[in-house]
Every structure is written in C-alpha cells, then in structure tokens.
Amino acid sequence: MAKVVWSNGIDYASGALNKVKKGGQHDHEKMLLGTHRKAATTSTHCNRIYLREVSVRTSPLSTKELQARNRFRAVAQMVKERAADLMAITQDQVDFLAQKDAANGKKTMKAYLWKVCGQEYDASLN
C-alpha cells in the first residue's frame, strides 16, 4: 500500500478531491477521495487515497439487503436509547468490564452495546 505525503503545510485531506461531472466536454466518472483515519491505532500512516468509479445501481434491493438495512436501523436506535438510559448504564458498564478481557470480548463500550442490542433484536425475531 502506498503512503500519502502531502505538500508542506498540508497535514491531511479528507473528502472528495475532485467532483464527478457528467455531461459536457470534460466528463469525469471517477472520484478521487482522500481519507484521514481518526480512530486510535498503533500505525502512524493515517492518510489514504482512493479512486472510485461512479456507478448507479440498476437492480432493486434484494430481500436480504432490505432485512440487513432494517436490522441496522433498529439496532442503531436501540444502541442510542440504551446508551442514554440512566437506569441501564451502571449495569452495562459492569457487564462490559466483565467481558472485556475475554477472548471474544468487545474492547469498546459502543461495540459491546451493538453486540447486546443486536442479540436482543435477533431474539425478538425468533
């Protein structure tokens, strides 16, 4: 993987570095995206560039894709509500710390809440 080094004075760029333009003399159907990783990591290389082709989906969403989108939407809402629920925070913190150092334990509270809420959602469907 190539490293991205910007000119002096530019630490990073994030977002579209060129616009997609359709129609006219100069059509651009590829987008140049610059990203800067914000998440904590041990690597010092946090800049990436991607060349992405513009594509338009022509097929309708499958049933499996619709179910996955609905699950994501529902679990995201459950995580948001549970994180704000003052009655559940203390017990969630205790449970999180108990599983954190396990082999398959979640290392962040948010990941733990996604796991728990996802399991609750799946159990409600069965």
Side-chain angles (χ1 to χ4, degrees):
M1 180 179 295
K3 297 179 199 172
V4 178
V5 180
W6 302 105
S7 297
N8 288 337
I10 300 174
D11 294 328
Y12 65 90
S14 184
L17 301 176
N18 74 316
K19 292 184 177 181
V20 175
K21 182 179 179 184
K22 289 191 173 186
Q25 184 179 2
H26 300 285
D27 288 351
H28 303 286
E29 293 189 7
K30 293 185 180 180
M31 180 185 300
L32 188 63
L33 297 172
T35 62
H36 178 75
R37 184 189 59 244
K38 296 176 185 171
T41 183
T42 56
S43 175
T44 59
H45 308 296
C46 55
N47 292 316
R48 301 281 188 266
I49 290 183
Y50 301 95
L51 186 61
R52 188 172 146 194
E53 290 191 41
V54 176
S55 61
V56 177
R57 185 182 186 127
T58 57
S59 62
L61 294 173
S62 69
T63 304
K64 188 174 181 179
E65 288 171 314
L66 289 171
Q67 290 172 344
R69 288 182 182 198
N70 290 336
R71 181 183 189 276
F72 181 86
R73 187 179 305 112
V75 173
Q77 184 62 34
M78 291 170 70
V79 168
K80 182 178 177 181
E81 290 170 3
R82 189 164 179 152
D85 182 6
L86 297 177
M87 300 300 286
I89 288 176
T90 305
Q91 187 60 45
D92 284 341
Q93 288 174 340
V94 169
D95 295 341
F96 166 70
L97 291 174
Q99 62 84 47
K100 183 178 178 183
D101 294 326
N104 293 327
K106 297 299 179 184
K107 304 302 180 199
T108 66
M109 186 67 169
K110 185 166 269 194
Y112 172 74
L113 289 177
W114 271 89
K115 176 185 171 187
V116 170
C117 292
Q119 290 171 344
E120 287 177 10
Y121 178 82
D122 294 339
S124 71
L125 294 180
N126 293 334

